[in-house]
Structure formats: structure tokens, C-alpha cells
Amino acid sequence: MREATNLGWADTPFGAERRPFAERTPLLAAFTVLSHAATPAAMGAVYLRLPRGRTLTVTEATLRFGFHAVAAEEPTETPTVAARLDALLVQARRRAAILAGHRFADDLARLAAAGEPTRGITALAAVWPDPTAQPGLARRHDTADGPTPAALHEVCAAVHLHGLPPDPNPTPVPAPAAHRTSTGTPQILQRVLVRTLGIALVAARSSGCYQWDQLDLDTVVEAAAWDQTTATPMTTPSAQPSSRHAVRASRGDQMSAAEGAR
């Protein structure tokens, strides 16, 4: 299992003492799942702060975001990927202002049908993509909304977000089987972060919160996570908190994220 994050923790992006965003800053939380068959091979979460009463103009040099990505290296690790996603979805649904995904209904339905007890996945699968806001819960936003949902790279290109390769089938990725070498896993982490950041930015722009001339997603993620996506493998014994096994962000990364919240 590999895990990458620039947060000071792995499991509580909304309520921990060590947070990259100012307290009570409204957040947009975006999610991506990369799957092999019916099992999740990797998941990513990206958090953007939402400015109050104004539109934030960002560039590749000024964009700040929190991220958390997990990728399985063995088939036995895919339940851990699903469990991490579920925990983050529970928190985002309760604490984020906007919860975003792309063609997320299919991912949620597939994971909910897997038979594992998942509070966040099951609850969202029952209501996605209905954007109707429920009191006390995040507003849902699917970036593929429409009678003919476009592929994510097409949606991003339409708003001048570049660097996302064409992907006619957004979910399948190579199986995390025994013959896969660990050297390919950082590439999956990079891929899932690029996709998730694209979703987050499209949702933020559609909500009137962010604007830009053009951004290269791959460049932004490379700058933010160059050390995270080449991390050494982590172990995942269930008896220990996952934050002890996460790739720790450097102090510079944490301060950069904090500066973006001010």
C-alpha cells in the first residue's frame, strides 16, 4: 500500500488540530476512485478552500490545495482503499460545503454493491447525483452532469485545464496484482491526484468560487507532490492509526497549504 498526503494527518481533514486551512474555512472536497473490475485500486481526495463573497483567481504558482491519495499494491489491500474512501466521504458529507465527483454515481453504486459495511459510500449512493442541498450536509456536485456526460478530460479542456490525458473509461486501471512492481504505484498516485484536482477545480469554477486563464494540472500536482508520489511503500496493520503510515508532508508543504488558506 502507498499513501500520499500534504496534510498533517490522514483521516481528519476537517477537525484535527493540525490543519492546512484556517478554522471554519469552508471547503470543497472532491473525490476520485480508480478501479480494477469491481474493486478500488486507488482513491484520491482534494480539498480547496472556498473564499467568502468573492471569486479567487489562481495560477499554477498560487494554487494551494490539500490532497490525500491511497493506492493498493496487492489485491488484498483493496478493502483498505475502500475503507479510507468511506471514512473521508463520511467527513466530507458532514463538514464540507461542496462534495464533488465525476460520474460518481457509477463508482458509488459499484462500491456499495461490494457488500462491505460502508456508511459514507452507501449514504451517498442513495442520493447521488441529486444536487439538492440537505440541511447540515454538503451540496453535491457532479462535473459530468447533463444528458450526455462528457469525459473528464473534455470537461477540463473546455475550461482551460490541461494536462489530463484522454481516458474513455475513467475507472479501470491495471490490477494491483502480485506481478505489478511497486514502481508503478507512484504513477497511479500522480494520476489519481491529477484527476481529482481537475474535478475540484471544475466544481469550484462552476460554483463561482475560482477562476483562471489556464492551468496545467500535471504541472500543479508535480509541484505539490513531487516527493509524495515517489514515497517508499507503507504497511497497513489495522491496529495502528493510518496517519502513522501516511507519507508525511514536509514542513514546507504544510506551510504552503496553510498560506493558501489565508
Side-chain angles (χ1 to χ4, degrees):
M1 177 77 73
R2 288 185 187 255
E3 186 165 5
T5 182
N6 67 347
L7 307 179
W9 61 92
D11 293 330
T12 55
F14 297 96
E17 292 181 359
R18 297 176 63 191
R19 70 182 77 220
F21 302 104
E23 188 175 1
R24 293 185 298 277
T25 297
L27 299 181
L28 181 152
F31 294 89
T32 292
V33 182
L34 300 182
S35 301
H36 173 72
T39 60
M43 60 75 56
V46 162
Y47 303 93
L48 294 177
R49 71 182 183 97
L50 298 178
R52 298 178 185 274
R54 64 188 178 94
T55 300
L56 182 65
T57 300
V58 295
T59 68
E60 292 171 5
T62 62
L63 177 60
R64 297 291 182 266
F65 60 97
F67 66 82
H68 183 192
V70 179
E73 293 184 292
E74 301 291 340
T76 55
E77 295 172 337
T78 57
T80 303
V81 175
R84 297 288 177 84
L85 173 65
D86 187 68
L88 293 177
L89 286 176
V90 168
Q91 294 175 30
R93 190 174 185 231
R94 294 174 177 172
R95 305 293 296 275
I98 300 173
L99 197 161
H102 184 81
R103 294 181 176 172
F104 208 32
D106 294 340
D107 293 325
L108 292 169
R110 187 182 304 110
L111 293 171
E116 298 292 332
T118 52
R119 291 186 301 157
I121 292 170
T122 301
L124 277 174
V127 296
W128 199 279
D130 182 0
T132 304
Q134 298 172 276
L137 299 178
R139 176 167 63 86
R140 296 174 294 280
H141 184 104
D142 198 302
T143 56
D145 188 28
T148 307
L152 181 58
H153 73 279
E154 296 174 339
V155 174
C156 288
V159 293
H160 308 293
L161 292 175
H162 309 296
L164 186 67
D167 193 349
N169 193 347
T171 53
V173 298
H179 67 270
R180 254 186 73 81
T181 62
S182 61
T183 57
T185 313
Q187 296 176 355
I188 295 180
L189 291 175
Q190 177 90 1
R191 177 183 171 189
V192 77
L193 286 175
V194 169
R195 289 187 62 82
T196 315
L197 180 59
I199 293 169
L201 287 170
V202 169
R205 186 184 181 103
S206 298
S207 303
C209 298
Y210 277 49
Q211 65 182 9
W212 55 84
D213 290 329
Q214 61 178 351
L215 296 173
D216 187 278
L217 296 170
D218 195 56
T219 298
V220 173
V221 169
E222 176 66 21
W226 63 270
D227 57 337
Q228 304 293 314
T229 53
T230 56
T232 56
M234 56 173 272
T235 56
T236 55
S238 57
Q240 302 214 10
S242 60
S243 58
R244 295 188 180 183
H245 304 288
V247 178
R248 292 292 187 184
S250 68
R251 180 175 179 83
D253 285 335
Q254 293 179 17
M255 292 190 65
S256 293
E259 289 171 0
R262 293 171 186 165

